[in-house]
Amino acid sequence: QGEELFSLVAIRIQTGRRHQIRTHACHIGHPVVCDGKYTNATTFLRDREWCERNFLHRYRLAFTDLDGMQHEAIAPLPGDLVAALNRVTPCTATSA
């Protein structure tokens, strides 16, 4: 978006602690897009111009229940986040 650079990453967490991804991403200087809690107001408002909401999506959830049965749910990227991705331009052909 303009001169800003963004990265699309896949992160695997071991626990389901609230805000874990968001706080760690911000701590290393790469906050989640449109995160009003962990970014400053200027960044949040600039992000809102092209992304309607926090750009964070759990595409896969898997767990083993108390009976030892494994369960998995998969959800594709929602349309609003696909639309947000379509508003940015890849830096190189390999980043597309």
Side-chain angles (χ1 to χ4, degrees), residues 17-90:
R17 293 187 182 152
R18 245 176 93 144
H19 306 289
Q20 184 178 13
I21 292 171
R22 293 165 61 198
T23 189
H24 288 299
C26 184
H27 179 73
I28 63 170
H30 299 281
V32 173
V33 166
C34 210
D35 190 340
K37 182 174 178 85
Y38 293 102
T39 60
N40 63 50
T42 302
T43 300
F44 173 70
L45 292 173
R46 191 172 51 239
D47 288 351
R48 288 283 305 220
E49 292 175 9
W50 64 276
C51 184
E52 297 176 4
R53 66 177 174 96
N54 194 312
F55 200 116
L56 188 61
H57 174 67
R58 172 178 279 171
Y59 75 94
R60 179 179 176 269
L61 173 65
F63 63 94
T64 303
D65 67 21
L66 295 176
D67 295 325
M69 298 287 297
Q70 293 194 358
H71 302 273
E72 180 180 61
I74 305 277
L77 194 63
D80 62 331
L81 295 183
V82 171
L85 277 180
N86 288 331
R87 292 185 185 108
V88 295
T89 304

